[in-house]
Amino acid sequence: MDYLAEERKKAKFDVEAMKVVWAGSEHAFRINDRISRLVADDPEFSKDVRITLTRKDLLKNTLRKSAHAWKLINELRLTEEEATKLRLYIDQPGYTDLHWGMFIPAIKGQGTEEQQKKWLPLAYKMQIIGCYAQTELGHGSNVQGLETTATFDLLTDEFVIHSPTLTSSKWWPGGLGKVSTHAIVYARLISMGKDYGVNGFIVQLRSLDDHSPLPGITVGDIGTKFGNAAYNSMDNGVLQFDHVRIPRDQMLMRLSQITREGRVLASDVPKQLLYGTMVYVRKVIVLDASIALSRATCIATRYSTIRRQFGSQDGSPESQVIDYKTQQSRIFPLLASAYAFRFVGEWLNWLYGDVMQRLQAGDFSTLPEAHACTAGLKSVTTSATADGIEECRKLCGGHGYLCSSGLPELFAVYVPACTYEGDNVVLLLQVARFLMKTVSQLGSGKRPVGTISYMGKAEYLLQCTSDVHIAEDWLKPSFILQAFEARAMKMSVRCAQNISNSPSPEQGFSELSADLMEAAKAHCQLIIVSKFIDKVQQDTTNKSSVKEYLSVLCNIYALSTLQKHLGDFLSAGCITSEQGALANEQLRHLYTQVRPNAVALVDAFNYTDHFLGSALGRYDGNVYPTLYNEAWKDPLNDSDIPDGYEEYIKPLLKQSFKYSRM
Amino acid sequence: MDYLAEERKKAKFDVEAMKVVWAGSEHAFRINDRISRLVADDPEFSKDVRITLTRKDLLKNTLRKSAHAWKLINELRLTEEEATKLRLYIDQPGYTDLHWGMFIPAIKGQGTEEQQKKWLPLAYKMQIIGCYAQTELGHGSNVQGLETTATFDLLTDEFVIHSPTLTSSKWWPGGLGKVSTHAIVYARLISMGKDYGVNGFIVQLRSLDDHSPLPGITVGDIGTKFGNAAYNSMDNGVLQFDHVRIPRDQMLMRLSQITREGRVLASDVPKQLLYGTMVYVRKVIVLDASIALSRATCIATRYSTIRRQFGSQDGSPESQVIDYKTQQSRIFPLLASAYAFRFVGEWLNWLYGDVMQRLQAGDFSTLPEAHACTAGLKSVTTSATADGIEECRKLCGGHGYLCSSGLPELFAVYVPACTYEGDNVVLLLQVARFLMKTVSQLGSGKRPVGTISYMGKAEYLLQCTSDVHIAEDWLKPSFILQAFEARAMKMSVRCAQNISNSPSPEQGFSELSADLMEAAKAHCQLIIVSKFIDKVQQDTTNKSSVKEYLSVLCNIYALSTLQKHLGDFLSAGCITSEQGALANEQLRHLYTQVRPNAVALVDAFNYTDHFLGSALGRYDGNVYPTLYNEAWKDPLNDSDIPDGYEEYIKPLLKQSFKYSRM
């Protein structure tokens, strides 16, 4: 029985067409569809008991799934794209994420051709398993502060890898604790007494015969993390070196080389090439944000149509909670954000290709802009997604707190994205630095390019006011864009002015860093809004209704962002408080338009029940029997009488304790 | 070694005096201090292995601690106040929370004297263990929608308790699943075919001989919840009745009675008395919010002074992260909020006493105001605390994601407070309804009282503008109060006007409910600010420095709230954007004043390391060795080679799988 059938009938657009728009292409849709069903239908990938396992059993469960995945990848001759999707839909963090996502790319990016020829085939065949050992117990964002040393020994032509302090212990690398046989270790390159800064080294950690740690290597897991299963299926590790020796040719030498005589030379490969990898990784993170947020909104939306509360007259059913404006004003902006992040991620795909082409051609001119833009989008989308998942959990009321809702796990497994690959605050400050530089060069005749090109209109934007007169005006992309551009421009310029009034630029930047973060956010939100507008305008599906609802979502994203940051827009003087009130009014109309399409808009994500992993978000809406049945599976329900009854309950009830209070 | 000693030397106020201010009195300080140390020093209450236990073992662990606590309570002849503190500092949710906090109070509040005489002694001695079975699988906030029936059987003088549907299964009650022998069950009272609505009944669930569920009773645990240990130490339960019979006198009859003939009569006890309990419970929740938020800020503040990152020149140590303005602008408002919630909770203590006195005297006039005020404060403080704990976790970077930081557990165990005892959205709408009613009566000559008395100045507040000229003006309580009053007034009046333009008041209220929530928040934040200002002004400690820093915290709470909701203040026209910028400037000065006192301000909470349960928040600041040692305790580190190596890793490395991709 399909409890959501009535809801689905209400949809005013073609869901199948929207599925393709969401996936990005027919090809992508087909692969997602096929691989996600392959995983869902394979009992080996069941997620059922996961949250009840001890950590040892949970890791073993991950090892089993990874081995099974590898078997499938080979038997079914999956392409690399398909294999990546397979790992996505298995939906359980594990060592292979780092092996394929960090270890191999690091060798590709930083290894010489010779090194690649030696190591990549072993890694591709999984004859070795690798991880990426950068962060240390005492050192995270500041890579240049790492303490691990790699000292060249001229006598033996080897490096001595060493952990000089407790805080230099490698700490956090995924797959390090129990599984990896090798690691890319980042350490200070020291030769002839000189410190050349941090470089990567390939270090074997465990015997390939019996998996025991090699001499001089102390390696283990760093302990339980947030959530029940979540990232506890991953062996994030600690690693210490006691004068471990590796051959000279295990230093990754694409960018810097060291000779037999211990001389360190820069290669002729430009360092900027490394930024390509950074753009790549952050693009993936933005797309992952859209996946995580869409999962959460899918669960919250479906459940909100099933759940009823209040509003009953004379025994008629209570109201569906999704009909409450308070619920709509919280869910629909998140639904719109999921779409917004999806499309800006797609655009980053294009940007990555563009950057790589230019890099190959030796054109580094767009790199600072691309770098700032990906850093900022990573920060803004992951923060909004983490908050959004938790908001969706709260929107499901008490039942959202049960693991069977899927939301606690989704939150716990997602939040590290705010910290890894660049802490979100640090990243926003990088964006702010770029914005301040751009503002300072505005008079110089240098034309801002790409996402920053609006700054070329600084003079206009700083004095313009909005022409919005009626609520419907806020549906016009040009009005939205101008308001977002004017706000971002004004915030950057105001920061720049305040900095210039400081004793020194550095002091000013530091003193005003909280304001700078807000300016950076404003810039990033402008990018997201403008790419969403582009997407709507470019949409070539002939199903006009799809375009219509994309446009509704785009407007919701823009106007709810405006509403949330109303103080910015008003302070900047780019809109009046009356215009703010009109935006708010328009937003309510937009929610009304989304309401009958809400279930269809989350159906368009095409997620399997396996991937959602939620009793509340099931496709068929059969919520209550599922919650009920899930409950009885808890090991606590194996017996009526709990362990400990004889020792700790019975003596109370039988008054074997004396009491004296009454 | 005390790594925080240098920080402690910087403090410019008397920490011991502040400890008393935080605790509320010398008496409260001494009890907290004594009981928290008693718990911390008792190995039975160790929290060490908690997060690694299976659910069965975790429940057993709770049972053991509860039995031990009961032993101590009796042996040490603890007072009720001390016993409550003991349960607080044990810091592990368990069935006794509900037995003492809900079961017993329900009998006291809703039972007749006779019923109290029969049941309370059994409960006080723990010869029976009770829980509070109200919510159902399909029914939460709307108590009047409960489906469980209690049908009076005239023949046998009994009630037949029955669960007519799956959705009528009792769902969530803490202590129900495995421990409770009895429950207060809320069910529809049906007599002679007539439905009299929901009433409470005392129902025995399990045999007092062998703890097995009684005939007709299906009872179990509802499964794993958010977090590793967190609320999984509690047996939240599911309960179904198949025509279970109880004697007529087990209906709680203080408010309604049923005669032997099945006639239902209202007693002469006014229903309003029940609201007293509600005010009591919500007051406790507000105080709990201040405890949870202060724990989180204590951990984040101490760790931020230990953690160093960037800013190193030539090998000197990196900067303490607490010196970054971005860190300060996120931690210090939360620290100020913890103090703000503490003091508003203290004021609610007074309000509760006042309400009870009036109720006894038959004066119900202040009840609607007191009810709205406690509902709103419960909502605003718990939402801010849940978000604040997660913010503190993020402020601790990657290490905040480890359970050994204490923050994941603190978050997971805290967040249900946003949902239980009134969903935060539903509560804000109740406040909004009260505000709309008050506004509509403004012309009637009825003087608004208590926290709503500012509305008596409506005419003035709706047209006043702020006299702030320089940043320091924002330190004046009168300027702050006026801005908050004007904003709250304007938002309420604007909502009321918009509602009056709607086809009907109900439709208008529903359509505008998102705006109404914001108006309710503004009202509640005004209460918090004004009670903080009162507290500072009333503070009679002769140590003026304490008063000085309370005043700094009060200003930070007010101005950071203003900054966060700047759009409200600007739209309402009660401040200009220049005045907003001055508030921002003043806030930065205030952060600078807090910085050297930050560690002392969290020391004033007087929390033991046991209660904090955090490697990052330790009193001695010995963070890194603790994190390191905690890691090795994980069961995964029992062996170098993980379970599953032979089956799932070795075959990969040894290429027992064929591969075909390369």
Side-chain angles (χ1 to χ4, degrees), chain B residues 371-386:
Chain B
H371 180 252
C373 155
T374 48
L377 290 173
K378 184 273 180 184
S379 175
V380 167
T381 58
T382 56
S383 288
T385 297

Side-chain angles (χ1 to χ4, degrees), chain A residues 127 240 318 401 412 628 655, chain B residues 127 142 240 401 412 628 655:
Chain A
Q127 290 177 280
Q240 287 179 310
E318 297 172 287
Y401 189 64
Y628 187 81
Q655 295 205 68
Chain B
Q127 289 177 279
N142 184 14
Q240 286 179 312
Y401 189 63
Y628 188 81
Q655 295 204 67

Side-chain angles (χ1 to χ4, degrees), chain A residues 283-355:
Chain A
K283 163 203 95 161
V284 171
I285 292 178
V286 171
L287 286 167
D288 284 349
S290 75
I291 295 174
L293 188 54
S294 57
R295 284 170 77 172
T297 53
C298 180
I299 295 168
T301 300
R302 287 183 181 160
Y303 178 61
S304 296
T305 60
I306 299 291
R307 182 72 173 180
R308 291 171 177 272
Q309 193 163 276
F310 291 113
S312 160
Q313 262 98 31
D314 311 321
S316 63
E318 297 172 287
S319 304
Q320 292 171 281
V321 300
I322 201 170
D323 284 329
Y324 291 102
K325 291 289 164 184
T326 46
Q327 195 84 352
Q328 294 180 7
S329 68
R330 294 160 77 203
I331 293 188
F332 294 164
L334 296 173
L335 177 60
S337 299
Y339 275 90
F341 299 169
R342 169 72 221 173
F343 298 139
V344 81
E346 207 170 72
W347 172 76
L348 283 176
N349 257 338
W350 169 86
L351 183 76
Y352 172 66
D354 182 66
V355 163

